[in-house]
Amino acid sequence: MSDDSSGIRFTGAVCPIPLSDYPTVQLAHGGGGRLSQILIEGMFAKAFDNPELEMLHDGAILGVGGSRVAFSTDSFVISPLFFPGGDIGSMAVHGTVNDLAMCGAQPLALSAGFVLEEGLAMDVLWRVTRSMRDAARAAGVPVVTGDTKVVDRGKGDGIYVNTAGIGWVPDAVDLDARRVRAGDRVLLSGPIGDHGIAVLSVREGIGFETSVESDSAALHGLVAAVLEAGGEAVHVLRDPTRGGVASAVVEIADQAGRGILLDEKALPVREEVRGACEILGLDPLYVANEGRVVAFVAPDAADEVLAAMRADPRGR
């Protein structure tokens, strides 16, 4: 192990993460921020090095029989399992559908893997299963295969869900952070921080005068409208989940080799969300979202793409 400009180099079988800094996995390694980036780029991307993975997109795009297929996977661990506006089941469907959509794909099918803790109430499992079913039906993306494992009591958190998905990528779509250019506009499809604060409001027992609900939603319809309106002028898309909008745009900036300027006054944040962030000491830019898309668009097409966003119920 030796340091380079990024602080990490993978050499043979030596662990690439500086053990003197982090000898054990920390919660922050899964938070979508800097430590997540170090873990992914320093360990997993180095170990599994291949051209598809090095894109570090929300999914891999593979050539299959003259066509392009997007393939993505995600794992969902959340407490509480149920929160205003959603639950672990619907979020699992929406999250993987959205990862495929960020690749420019039209989602085709999903898998569902369940890790269940001994003692989980069957009515809770049935409620999660029905929620996944309803979300998949609403999105028009069926769950076609899956797996189930049970762990000892006390060795899980009730239920963990893993989903994978495949989708077809039209020939004209080319979404890549390396296509970002100086002058591009950064467009956001709606208020930020709703999901993270909805979950924390239940977990921390925070009450509001009005209900804050998760923005969890399938975005493939919105993305299709954006791509139809902008075409090649749409350079890259991201759904700002873990780590929020800030982490998503920093990741793109790193890949594009560009600086990105955000107009803080233009960022839509509900007053309830802003107030909760002040109470909890959080920055809305770093709070998770499950139903928003960030689009980097050439300036001459920004108005058309923004109009397409606003015409869709998920971007209105």
Side-chain angles (χ1 to χ4, degrees):
M1 179 176 66
S2 60
D3 292 337
D4 60 9
S5 60
S6 65
I8 299 167
R9 180 175 295 167
F10 187 70
T11 56
V14 177
C15 179
I17 304 298
L19 296 183
S20 59
D21 295 338
Y22 297 101
T24 61
V25 174
Q26 306 295 307
L27 277 175
H29 282 113
R34 179 58 179 162
L35 288 189
S36 292
Q37 184 180 15
I38 289 173
L39 183 65
I40 293 169
E41 295 183 2
M43 182 174 289
F44 301 132
K46 299 287 186 181
F48 304 127
D49 183 36
N50 60 74
E52 290 76 24
L53 182 61
E54 71 180 13
M55 297 294 292
L56 294 179
H57 208 328
D58 287 329
I61 298 180
L62 310 172
V64 179
S67 297
R68 292 186 300 161
V69 173
F71 175 47
S72 185
T73 186
D74 206 344
S75 298
F76 298 85
V77 295
I78 190 167
S79 177
L81 297 176
F82 305 95
F83 45 84
D87 56 72
I88 192 173
S90 59
M91 188 175 73
V93 171
H94 295 157
T96 301
V97 166
N98 292 347
D99 282 346
L100 293 170
M102 298 309 119
C103 296
Q106 299 174 6
L108 298 175
L110 303 174
S111 70
F114 299 91
V115 178
L116 310 175
E117 183 182 2
E118 181 187 16
L120 176 71
M122 281 294 181
D123 61 342
V124 170
L125 179 57
W126 177 230
R127 185 177 171 187
V128 171
T129 303
R130 284 184 300 163
S131 179
M132 289 190 71
R133 176 199 65 191
D134 294 344
R137 286 178 177 175
V141 186
V143 177
V144 297
T145 189
D147 183 54
T148 304
K149 296 291 186 293
V150 178
V151 298
D152 293 339
R153 189 186 301 266
K155 294 187 178 180
D157 197 14
I159 178 172
Y160 299 148
V161 180
N162 172 272
T163 46
I166 59 170
W168 171 69
V169 183
D171 291 337
V173 173
D174 182 17
L175 299 177
D176 188 336
R178 294 171 298 186
R179 296 185 61 227
V180 170
R181 297 291 181 264
D184 278 3
R185 300 293 185 259
V186 183
L187 306 181
L188 180 63
S189 65
I192 61 175
D194 289 6
H195 171 74
I197 294 303
V199 172
L200 285 172
S201 69
V202 179
R203 187 184 303 163
E204 304 296 332
I206 302 173
F208 304 100
E209 292 183 1
T210 59
S211 175
V212 176
E213 294 192 350
S214 170
D215 58 11
S216 183
L219 298 175
H220 54 309
L222 171 61
V223 167
V226 163
L227 292 174
E228 182 177 358
E232 294 183 357
V234 181
H235 292 157
V236 69
L237 303 172
R238 283 290 190 277
D239 55 337
T241 52
R242 292 179 308 158
V245 170
S247 295
V249 298
V250 166
E251 178 183 283
I252 291 172
D254 285 345
Q255 294 174 346
R258 303 280 176 179
I260 297 177
L261 178 66
L262 300 181
D263 182 355
E264 187 171 8
K265 293 181 180 178
L267 291 168
V269 184
R270 301 186 200 277
E271 285 304 314
E272 301 90 334
V273 171
R274 192 184 306 277
C277 286
E278 290 176 356
I279 292 171
L280 297 168
L282 301 174
D283 184 336
L285 277 168
Y286 289 91
V287 176
N289 310 270
E290 289 292 341
R292 302 291 181 241
V293 57
V294 177
F296 285 67
V297 182
D300 57 355
D303 288 343
E304 289 81 358
V305 172
L306 186 59
M309 280 186 174
R310 289 174 170 167
D312 187 277
R314 299 299 179 186
R316 188 161 298 156

